[in-house]
């Protein structure tokens, strides 16, 4: 089978720490033949490390999508996800787009419709679905072990973790702060485990109390963000009711005076059992545990299935994104016609719709009713 030809749009952090190193693990299956970034030297640098010798470099994605490619990866800031993904689909490409799907639900819907119209594949970079703990919990939910899940908490809490690179604190470019940035991951895994995509009513609050006021060094790193240009919320909370009566509470922060630092995690409560993704003894790291509250022999029991990720197979990952290798494998399988996508466009649309409704509810002070 010929190698899949892939083009990358946006050669910043996520492209060079998740997409490219994970695709590079499968040199027999794919090759990166095109790189685009509005900052040319970023595309040149990424090509030098990950590209074929004759890979093309562009500063305008419209040129890249004209090439004969099997897939385009969209790794730009949130503002341009929809525009680039729709254009790439219309030009006949399959698309892997980074999260969040889009800056609002209208732009997300345009992506869903473009994929349906063209018959091309579209998926979103929710790699946390592929972690061992998430997969274990999903299997438990599908097998019926949890019963009906009627309540869940989506956790996306950082104590101090305001991104210091890129345009993350720019409202126009990103659409918001921690809610759209990391709340999107925890809501995605929560809805997927519940298999519930019918929200009907959403309320929410956003706060900007720390991002504009704190000195950068409270983050405990050498990198500082600029409080003077901080435009987005630093914490957001949402309460979502679903058609079947289920409820989800979503908590997200980049800066919050909390002791409970958990992101891309969920707690679910079912009629037969419940489960929580946690860090052991509150320790931060990738070694999450899954604690299951169930009943065995008529008694309440807590189980801890082994959900270890093992060691990363790639030593050169600057950031370790658990689940990212499996995400890449699933994507390559789908492109080769050997497997189904796991992250479906309409599911990602619903995540975007709920996030938008939380922002709207926070701005208006009113509950948002979703009828579509
Ligand atoms: N899956 C995850 O866990 C995860 C983690 C981090 C970031 N992300 C997502 O990845 C996206 C990018 O984030 P990042 O951290 O890589 O940011 P970044 O700023 O490091 O990289 C973005 C790159 O896109 C380039 N760019 C901007 N507009 C462009 C355009 N129109 N055409 C071509 N290139 C363009 C920029 O020059 C930059 O190099 C965001 O949507 C973010 O939410 C996902």
């Amino acid at each position: 089978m010929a190698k899949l030809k892939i083009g990358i749009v946006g050669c910043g952090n996520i492209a060079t720490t998740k997409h490219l190193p994970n695709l590079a693990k499968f040199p027999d299956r794919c090759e990166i033949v095109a790189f685009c970034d509005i900052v040319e030297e970023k595309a040149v640098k990424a090509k030098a490390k990950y590209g074929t010798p004759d890979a093309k470099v562009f500063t305008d994605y419209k040129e890249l999508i004209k090439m004969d490619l099997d897939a385009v990866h969209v790794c730009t800031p949130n503002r341009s996800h929809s525009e680039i993904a729709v254009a790439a689909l219309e030009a006949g490409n399959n698309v892997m787009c980074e999260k969040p799907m889009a800056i609002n639900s209208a732009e997300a819907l345009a992506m869903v419709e473009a994929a349906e119209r063209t018959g091309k594949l579209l998926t979103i970079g929710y790699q946390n679905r592929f972690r061992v703990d998430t997969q274990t919990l999903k299997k438990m939910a599908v097998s019926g072990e949890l019963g009906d899940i009627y309540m869940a908490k989506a956790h996306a809490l950082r104590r101090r973790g305001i991104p210091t690179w890129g345009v993350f604190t720019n409202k126009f470019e990103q659409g918001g702060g921690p809610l759209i940035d990391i709340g999107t991951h925890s809501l995605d895994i929560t809805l997927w485990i519940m298999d519930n995509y019918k929200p009907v009513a959403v309320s929410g609050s956003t706060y900007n109390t720390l991002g504009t006021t704190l000195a950068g060094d409270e983050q405990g790193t050498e990198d500082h963000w600029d409080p003077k240009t901080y435009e987005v919320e630093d914490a957001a909370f949402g309460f979502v009711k679903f058609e079947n009566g289920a409820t989800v509470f979503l908590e997200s922060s980049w800066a919050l005076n909390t002791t409970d630092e958990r992101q891309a995690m969920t707690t679910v409560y079912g009629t037969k059992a419940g489960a929580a993704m946690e860090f052991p003894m509150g320790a931060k790291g990738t070694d999450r545990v899954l604690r299951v509250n169930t009943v065995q022999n008529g008694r309440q029991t807590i189980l801890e299935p082994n959900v270890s990720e093992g060691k990363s197979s790639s030593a050169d990952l600057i950031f370790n994104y658990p689940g990212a290798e499996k995400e890449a494998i699933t994507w390559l399988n789908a492109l080769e016609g050997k497997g189904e996508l796991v992250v479906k466009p309409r599911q990602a649309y619903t995540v975007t719709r709920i996030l938008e409704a939380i922002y709207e509810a926070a701005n208006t002070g009113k509950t948002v009713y979703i009828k579509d």
Side-chain angles (χ1 to χ4, degrees):
M1 190 170 189
K3 287 185 195 181
L4 297 163
K5 293 192 186 311
I6 296 180
I8 306 284
V9 182
C11 300
N13 163 54
I14 199 66
T16 55
T17 60
K18 187 182 95 166
H19 295 253
L20 290 163
N22 281 294
L23 290 172
K25 293 175 188 171
F26 305 98
D28 299 339
R29 298 179 69 182
C30 65
E31 55 190 6
I32 319 299
V33 298
F35 295 80
C36 170
D37 200 292
I38 49 173
V39 180
E40 189 173 13
E41 64 181 277
K42 287 188 159 192
V44 169
K45 208 169 154 196
K47 174 197 157 164
K49 184 155 185 196
Y50 294 106
T52 54
D54 58 350
K56 300 270 185 292
V57 166
F58 303 100
T59 53
D60 183 350
Y61 77 84
K62 291 184 183 128
E63 296 302 316
L64 179 142
I65 63 174
K66 284 185 198 156
M67 288 177 67
D68 183 17
L69 300 169
D70 294 292
V72 170
H73 289 221
V74 180
C75 302
T76 58
N78 305 350
R79 164 72 40 197
S80 52
H81 286 184
S82 181
E83 177 192 321
I84 299 173
V86 169
L89 289 162
E90 298 283 6
N93 299 285
N94 300 300
V95 172
M96 152 80 77
C97 178
E98 255 315 321
K99 56 49 56 173
M101 186 176 205
I103 216 140
N104 58 41
S105 66
E107 294 198 1
L109 190 59
M111 295 165 74
V112 172
E113 288 174 350
E116 290 176 353
R117 194 165 56 241
T118 58
K120 292 290 160 186
L121 297 177
L122 169 64
T123 195
I124 307 300
Y126 285 126
Q127 76 275 357
N128 292 294
R129 284 202 197 182
F130 300 94
R131 293 191 329 238
V132 177
D133 58 342
T134 319
Q135 295 270 315
T136 305
L137 191 50
K138 177 68 178 173
K139 279 189 199 123
M140 291 176 70
V142 169
S143 73
E145 256 177 273
L146 303 174
D148 292 329
I149 301 171
Y150 54 90
M151 167 66 192
K153 292 184 199 160
H155 313 285
L157 294 182
R158 292 183 189 163
R159 294 167 66 211
R160 295 291 184 276
I162 297 180
T164 53
W165 71 94
V167 290
F168 284 87
T169 60
N170 177 314
K171 194 160 191 170
F172 177 77
E173 288 294 343
Q174 292 290 107
L179 180 62
I180 195 167
D181 183 45
I182 55 175
T184 191
H185 273 305
S186 51
L187 185 60
D188 174 65
I189 57 173
T190 302
L191 298 192
W192 185 55
I193 285 157
M194 295 173 87
D195 193 21
N196 195 336
Y197 290 94
K198 296 211 166 132
V200 290
V202 179
S203 53
S205 303
T206 58
Y207 298 91
N208 184 349
T209 58
L210 302 176
T212 48
T213 54
L214 277 185
D217 57 5
E218 283 205 29
Q219 196 144 284
T221 65
E222 287 180 4
D223 292 339
H224 296 187
W225 79 95
D226 182 358
K228 289 193 286 303
T229 59
Y230 192 89
E231 297 176 346
V232 292
E233 84 281 358
D234 53 36
F237 306 94
F239 191 82
V240 189
K241 296 189 80 167
F242 291 80
E243 194 178 81
N244 68 348
T247 303
V248 168
F249 173 65
L250 167 56
E251 53 182 10
S252 65
S253 67
W254 281 341
L256 187 71
N257 291 321
T258 175
T259 56
D260 182 16
E261 185 163 38
R262 282 194 275 176
Q263 68 179 73
M265 296 210 212
T266 192
T267 301
V268 294
Y269 305 90
T271 50
K272 290 191 186 160
M277 293 172 172
E278 295 174 2
F279 286 121
M281 302 295 289
K284 194 183 161 198
T286 53
D287 51 346
R288 296 170 180 82
V289 294
L290 185 63
R291 303 187 80 224
V292 182
N293 183 94
T294 189
V295 177
Q296 283 187 341
N297 303 321
R299 298 178 81 93
Q300 292 260 338
T301 312
I302 293 186
L303 306 175
E304 264 192 38
N306 180 2
V307 294
S308 167
E309 291 287 338
K311 292 253 184 304
S312 165
S313 56
S314 174
D316 71 343
L317 290 185
I318 303 166
F319 289 86
N320 186 7
Y321 289 101
E325 181 175 318
K326 191 135 189 247
E327 174 185 77
I329 294 170
T330 305
W331 179 230
L332 296 178
N333 287 346
L335 291 172
E336 288 170 350
K338 293 182 191 153
E340 284 261 314
L341 288 177
V342 172
V343 180
K344 307 267 170 48
R346 285 209 175 259
Q347 298 171 337
Y349 165 78
T350 301
V351 173
T352 306
R353 181 74 188 91
I354 292 173
L355 298 178
E356 177 181 67
I358 294 172
Y359 281 124
E360 187 186 334
N363 286 338
T364 60
K366 294 192 177 133
T367 300
V368 174
Y369 295 95
I370 297 178
K371 298 185 183 75
D372 37 275

